[in-house]
Amino acid sequence: MAENSVLQDDNFLLDDDFFAEDAVDEPKVQPKPVKDLSFFNQLPVHVTLELASVEISLGELAKMGEGDVVALDRMVGEPLDIRVNGALLGRGEVVEVNGRYGVRLLEVEATSLTGAVS
């Protein structure tokens, strides 16, 4: 009886045209519309100017008193880091603007919306 159970349907057989490249209809990719992002130009951000830093022990910090000096890791005249929401935007120098401190951008890093750059 097993000999009689052979499938006799000719439509079931695979032919070469089944694997032809034009047989597969690939979906058409529609370009996404450009969104107006001008709303984000109004959002406030936190800008930090980082002059320099130093790593010291808690013991050294506890021994410090009024008038002590902490030597930092940058030389006089080196640009300071400018950070926006923690991400490095670039480097700049301190300037005076109408009796107030300001910063002049000297160098702008490549900015990315995907995350903070350290």
Side-chain angles (χ1 to χ4, degrees), residues 3-112:
E3 295 174 12
N4 292 339
S5 65
V6 175
L7 186 60
Q8 297 295 326
D9 188 0
D10 288 337
N11 292 331
F12 182 73
L13 298 175
L14 298 178
D15 57 13
D16 291 339
D17 292 334
F18 182 79
F19 293 105
E21 290 181 22
D22 59 354
V24 178
D25 290 332
E26 294 192 23
K28 303 291 183 204
V29 178
Q30 297 293 330
K32 293 182 180 180
V34 178
K35 294 182 181 179
D36 180 16
L37 300 177
S38 61
F39 165 78
F40 294 101
N41 291 335
Q42 304 302 315
L43 294 178
V45 293
H46 185 78
V47 178
T48 303
L49 306 177
E50 187 176 286
L51 176 64
S53 63
V54 66
E55 187 173 314
I56 61 174
S57 70
L58 187 55
E60 290 174 299
L61 185 60
K63 291 178 187 175
M64 296 187 78
E66 196 172 313
D68 287 342
V69 175
V70 177
L72 301 174
D73 63 354
R74 292 215 180 146
M75 302 294 292
V76 173
E78 280 188 67
L80 50 89
D81 289 342
I82 303 167
R83 296 186 178 275
V84 177
N85 289 347
L88 182 65
L89 171 72
R91 288 173 188 76
E93 64 182 354
V94 176
V95 295
E96 184 262 328
V97 180
N98 297 327
R100 294 181 171 213
Y101 287 115
V103 64
R104 175 181 292 122
L105 285 173
L106 299 175
E107 165 185 346
V108 176
E109 294 288 319
T111 57
S112 172

